[in-house]
Amino acid sequence: MATLDPANASRGMAESLPKAALPQSSQPAPVSRAWLWHFALAWFGFWLLVMLPGQFMVAKISATVSPENKVGVASFLIAETAIVILLSVPVIGVLCDRTSSRFARRRSWVLAGFATAAVPFALVGLQTNRVIIALLVAVVALGEAAVLVALSAMIADQVPVNRASLRHAITLPRPSGYPGYYWAMASRVLIHAGNLVGTTYLFFFLSDVLGVKNPDDSLLILILIYLVACGFTSWLGGVLSDRWRRRRIFIALAAGLQGAAALLLAAMPTWDASMVAAVLLGLGFGMFLSVDQALVTDLLPNPETRGRDLGLVNTAQHIPIAPIVGWLVLSVAGYSSLYLVAAVIMLAGGLAVYRIKNVR
């Protein structure tokens, strides 16, 4: 009795099946160079939206409208931003996943988010009433949340639209089944919080501790140094991480660089030390941004709910740890203690990533 060669048998079966029944590749098609440039520009716009309020606008407005309680007002506005994002990101994530048009599934949310943030962002600097300022900052945060959700989901997909139920879409992944996903979340939360602790009150540090003549210009110089360093390692970290197929060591290094920046400011509160710290902080945060996103994407539990699962991580990173810590520390101690606490938080985030066992 003749036997069939397994390879020929498989080929014959595949040829006999209708095209609709043939297995389809689940891998998305490679994106074009133009897509990458447009995507990078969108992220650049997003980080301007994040950094200008977080590192300059909120501190400047607080010092102007309430100089006697500027730390409290700034802490409230940063906490308000975090809470708005915390509440809106999961909802936007579900809606973004359930948007039916392939063109508009993510891009419409990006455009709507930028549009929502742009108008109040342009108006907030003209206000002197704290209630109106708080309302405008909340709307900016809502737009920021929409952009964050949609851009984060774009990284992970080019996949079919989710036909999943709403109940399934809002059901959280089981911690026991996906511990690496939750450890990555913890790492992101801690490193992000420590960075925010160190940068939110930098304007006050320059004016109150260093006593620089023009804190606006001085802060701008530090931000530019920070951005250049951040841009360099956000590229280099991603390239090396992909080439060596390692994630954890880069996250740990990113946390270490940022922790070193905070410790430097705590030990040597000088202008020269501030510029060095800006380099270290930018190098660390840029590496963190590029590699952490890849790490989280590698650990997503379900390809059908990428918007939801990335939304959960993005929600967690906006738990208002930084403004609470900043307000508490500065209420009882000084900026050296604040930067020491920031260093501890970021280093803890670097250690947390080594609890992930299924990623190198």
Side-chain angles (χ1 to χ4, degrees), residues 2-18:
T3 59
L4 288 175
D5 176 63
N8 290 332
S10 298
R11 188 181 303 115
M13 290 178 64
E15 290 173 351
S16 67
L17 289 173

Side-chain angles (χ1 to χ4, degrees), residues 51-119:
M51 292 181 65
L52 285 175
Q55 297 185 2
F56 184 79
M57 185 186 77
V58 165
K60 183 67 175 180
I61 288 177
S62 302
T64 301
V65 302
S66 184
E68 72 287 350
N69 189 29
K70 58 187 179 184
V71 171
V73 173
S75 298
F76 171 81
L77 292 176
I78 294 295
E80 176 197 35
T81 298
I83 291 171
V84 170
I85 295 174
L86 193 69
L87 296 176
S88 59
V89 160
V91 177
I92 294 172
V94 170
L95 295 175
C96 189
D97 273 342
R98 293 172 65 84
T99 301
S100 58
S101 169
R102 286 192 65 83
F103 173 82
R105 189 185 184 198
R106 309 300 187 194
R107 282 173 280 189
S108 64
W109 287 96
V110 174
L111 294 174
F114 277 126
T116 300
V119 175

Side-chain angles (χ1 to χ4, degrees), residues 226-276:
Y226 173 88
L227 284 175
V228 171
C230 187
F232 174 69
T233 48
S234 65
W235 166 78
L236 182 64
V239 170
L240 294 180
S241 176
D242 286 342
R243 180 175 300 172
W244 296 341
R245 299 187 180 277
R246 292 182 180 274
R247 309 291 191 207
R248 296 184 301 180
I249 184 61
F250 289 97
I251 299 295
L253 180 58
L257 287 169
Q258 293 177 87
L263 289 174
L264 180 61
L265 290 178
M268 298 177 59
T270 65
W271 172 246
D272 290 341
S274 298
M275 289 191 290
V276 175

Side-chain angles (χ1 to χ4, degrees), residues 33-43:
R33 188 178 298 272
W35 188 95
L36 289 174
W37 276 109
H38 292 151
F39 185 70
L41 287 173
W43 269 119

